[in-house]
Amino acid sequence: MSTIIGEALPNIPWQEKPEGTNSPVWRYSANPIIPRNAIPNSNSVFNSAVIPFEGGFAGVFRCDSRSVSMDIFAGFSEDGVNWNINHEPIVFEGDEEIIKREYRYDPRVCKIDDRYYVSWCNGYHGPTIGLAYTFDFKTFHQLENAFLPYNRNGVLLPRKIGGNYAMLSRPSDTGHTPFGDIFYSESPDLTFWGKHRYVMGTVDGDASAWQSKKIGPGPIPIETDKGWLLIYHGVINTCNGFVYRMGVALLDLDQPWKVKARSRNYILGPEELYECVGDVPNVTFPCAALTDAATGRIAIYYGCADTVTGLAFTTVDELISYMDEYPLEIEG
């Protein structure tokens, strides 16, 4: 048995695992939970992040407009399934140089101490990691960009490591990056970042081909008694283009750049129509995970075909057992 280190969340969205299911992750039966037209001017709502807030839930959502302009919007829910998303994007307070908007997409939300931090792919002469914090999901204070271009998928850890803030990210290039590994970085103040460490990369050959092209961090890592449970995305380049699936790894608690375990099998991939057909076909892209420490339950929010938002379920025991059953040999 494994234990999530954190708070109880008795109102976590949940459905029991259907009988006969072999996968360690199963979909919500009423998926997708957020349609592409959830707000008046949205073309798509996907790759978004949610978090417990004031007895219910709050989130930051990627809503591409009908002009296909990428921006992020705040939203609220009582049950984590039915969402009310603001019709206008977040307006950030901060340094005039930093709050200039080029584009914003794929947010994550992480609570550290008394505030909620938002990280996202921010356009500043190319993709980099934007950072901001809020107390109420109404007023957002933007901080310095974490890195120089080019970087995507910046994901904070929910507590400091050795007295420093910590982040996982995926360095990239200017385009639709045809490569990607996961790196770790630390900061004493959320302004200056260093102590960069390689965490893990793609897998050559057919030992785990679903993650042979690129990988990147997904939801905020989940602290457990065995290590940081990392749900991430992996990509293969097929004759019909990229296919995005979810994987799972276990990182050392004190040195999160050290990988303790990793599954060679994916835990969820595009199978349903809403995952296979959309603006970008064949994508399951995880950005958030709610956890209930009392039961070990995990609810994963993920983007489907870059068009709508889905919800899936698992437990800490399911994921760790799956890594044990289908292990990937760890690089030395």
Side-chain angles (χ1 to χ4, degrees):
M1 298 289 289
S2 305
T3 302
I4 292 174
I5 299 173
E7 299 179 359
L9 187 64
N11 61 335
I12 187 173
W14 186 253
Q15 283 185 338
E16 293 293 340
K17 187 175 184 178
E19 289 188 19
T21 301
N22 294 321
S23 170
V25 176
W26 54 99
R27 296 166 178 80
Y28 180 51
S29 61
N31 269 351
I33 61 167
I34 304 176
R36 67 185 307 162
N37 59 349
I39 60 176
N41 194 38
S42 62
N43 165 75
S44 47
V45 184
F46 62 107
N47 296 4
S48 305
V50 306
I51 198 164
F53 179 70
E54 295 186 346
F57 303 90
V60 178
F61 298 84
R62 174 177 177 172
C63 303
D64 289 7
S65 71
R66 294 196 177 192
S67 59
V68 195
S69 175
M70 298 175 285
D71 218 325
I72 55 178
F73 296 65
F76 300 90
S77 173
E78 293 183 359
D79 59 8
V81 175
N82 299 285
W83 288 89
N84 293 312
I85 301 174
N86 293 346
H87 293 182
E88 297 297 328
I90 292 169
V91 176
F92 290 96
E93 298 181 352
D95 186 296
E96 290 185 1
E97 177 70 20
I98 298 302
I99 63 175
K100 292 178 181 177
R101 182 192 166 279
E102 195 173 308
Y103 49 75
R104 301 185 181 113
Y105 62 84
D106 295 359
R108 275 75 163 181
V109 180
C110 180
K111 189 174 189 289
I112 304 176
D113 298 327
D114 65 343
R115 62 195 66 190
Y116 300 87
Y117 289 95
V118 184
S119 59
W120 68 94
C121 185
N122 191 35
Y124 184 77
H125 303 276
T128 184
I129 304 303
L131 281 174
Y133 69 87
T134 182
F135 297 101
D136 56 8
F137 290 89
K138 297 177 182 177
T139 302
F140 292 80
H141 307 271
Q142 190 165 344
L143 306 172
E144 293 291 325
N145 292 318
F147 306 118
L148 290 169
Y150 303 102
N151 203 307
R152 306 173 195 260
N153 300 309
V155 179
L156 288 166
L157 272 71
R159 67 167 174 83
K160 294 180 179 180
I161 303 296
N164 289 328
Y165 296 95
M167 182 185 291
L168 300 173
S169 69
R170 191 194 80 191
S172 65
D173 62 10
T174 57
H176 193 58
T177 313
F179 64 89
D181 296 333
I182 297 175
F183 285 79
Y184 170 92
S185 303
E186 288 187 4
S187 171
D189 55 8
L190 292 172
T191 296
F192 301 99
W193 291 87
K195 198 176 180 181
H196 308 297
R197 297 288 186 270
Y198 175 85
V199 179
M200 63 186 194
T202 55
V203 180
D204 294 330
D206 70 349
S208 188
W210 68 270
Q211 52 184 329
S212 58
K213 193 65 175 178
K214 54 184 174 179
I215 62 171
I220 305 304
I222 300 165
E223 187 171 4
T224 77
D225 59 335
K226 292 184 169 57
W228 293 104
L229 192 63
L230 176 66
I231 298 169
Y232 65 97
H233 66 264
V235 184
I236 184 174
N237 191 13
T238 73
C239 59
N240 199 37
F242 290 154
V243 179
Y244 283 72
R245 296 181 173 94
M246 298 184 207
V248 63
L250 192 67
L251 311 181
D252 185 83
L253 281 177
D254 299 318
Q255 297 177 305
W257 56 91
K258 294 185 176 180
V259 181
K260 297 178 66 175
R262 183 175 174 186
S263 174
R264 72 174 183 267
N265 284 9
Y266 63 84
I267 59 173
L268 188 78
E271 296 177 9
E272 299 296 328
L273 185 65
Y274 56 86
E275 299 164 343
C276 297
V277 177
D279 283 4
V280 181
N282 302 318
V283 175
T284 50
F285 192 93
C287 277
L290 300 174
T291 61
D292 176 26
T295 60
R297 292 173 174 177
I298 301 170
I300 303 169
Y301 293 78
Y302 67 104
C304 309
D306 279 17
T307 305
V308 297
T309 302
L311 178 61
F313 306 107
T314 186
T315 68
V316 62
D317 283 334
E318 287 269 4
L319 294 182
I320 289 179
S321 295
Y322 202 69
M323 279 187 284
D324 290 341
E325 186 175 1
Y326 299 101
L328 180 69
E329 184 176 347
I330 303 300
E331 301 171 8

